[in-house]
């Protein structure tokens, strides 16, 4: 057998052994777009934490997601809270183009970003 054929067989074998997820199984979080100005993030976060129904208690002073104390970080937490709570009821991660979906868990230190399958 040629070396190329052996490598091809090994590559296919490795791919067949790797765990696969269907598109619906990927974990997704909603985070603030760092290119969005702080005033726009603040307005969207105010809505999410107010009338939007997000749980923003963990971004309050002395709570696990207060630090880093930036508009972007707090907005990311608020946007994700809203998205996880309402994504199965038609809620989106748009926030007037201030947010986007990521498959990288944004949790850090003691701050855990919720994911609801």
């Amino acid at each position: 057998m040629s070396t190329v054929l052996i490598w091809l067989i090994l590559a296919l074998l490795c791919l067949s052994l790797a765990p696969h997820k269907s598109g619906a199984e990927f974990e997704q979080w909603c985070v603030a777009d760092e290119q969005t100005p702080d005033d726009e993030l603040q307005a969207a976060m105010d809505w999410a934490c107010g009338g939007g129904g997000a749980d923003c208690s963990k971004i309050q002073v002395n709570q696990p997601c207060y630090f880093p104390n930036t508009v972007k970080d707090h907005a990311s937490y608020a946007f994700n809270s809203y998205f996880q709570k309402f994504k199965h009821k038609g809620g989106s991660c748009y926030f007037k183009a201030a947010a986007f979906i990521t498959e990288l868990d944004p949790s850090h230190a003691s701050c855990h970003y919720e994911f609801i399958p």
Side-chain angles (χ1 to χ4, degrees), residues 28-33 41-42 44-50 52-61 63-86 92-93 95 98-100 102 104-116:
Q28 295 182 327
W29 293 267
C30 179
V31 294
D33 185 340
L41 290 176
Q42 185 68 54
M45 178 174 52
D46 289 347
W47 178 84
C49 293
D55 177 3
C56 297
S57 61
K58 291 186 180 175
I59 56 175
Q60 303 303 312
V61 176
Q63 295 302 310
C65 298
Y66 180 72
F67 289 109
N69 181 17
T70 67
V71 173
K72 180 189 147 310
D73 285 285
H74 287 185
S76 288
Y77 189 86
F79 295 168
N80 187 67
S81 174
Y82 172 85
F83 177 66
Q84 297 301 328
K85 189 172 181 180
F86 296 108
S92 74
C93 177
F95 297 96
F100 63 92
T102 182
L104 298 174
D105 185 350
S107 299
H108 52 87
S110 64
C111 181
H112 176 73
Y113 278 58
E114 184 174 32
F115 167 74
I116 299 173

Side-chain angles (χ1 to χ4, degrees), residues 20 23 25 35 38 77 91 96 110:
H20 296 280
E25 293 178 15
Q35 295 183 33
D38 280 358
Y77 189 86
K96 295 184 180 179
S110 64

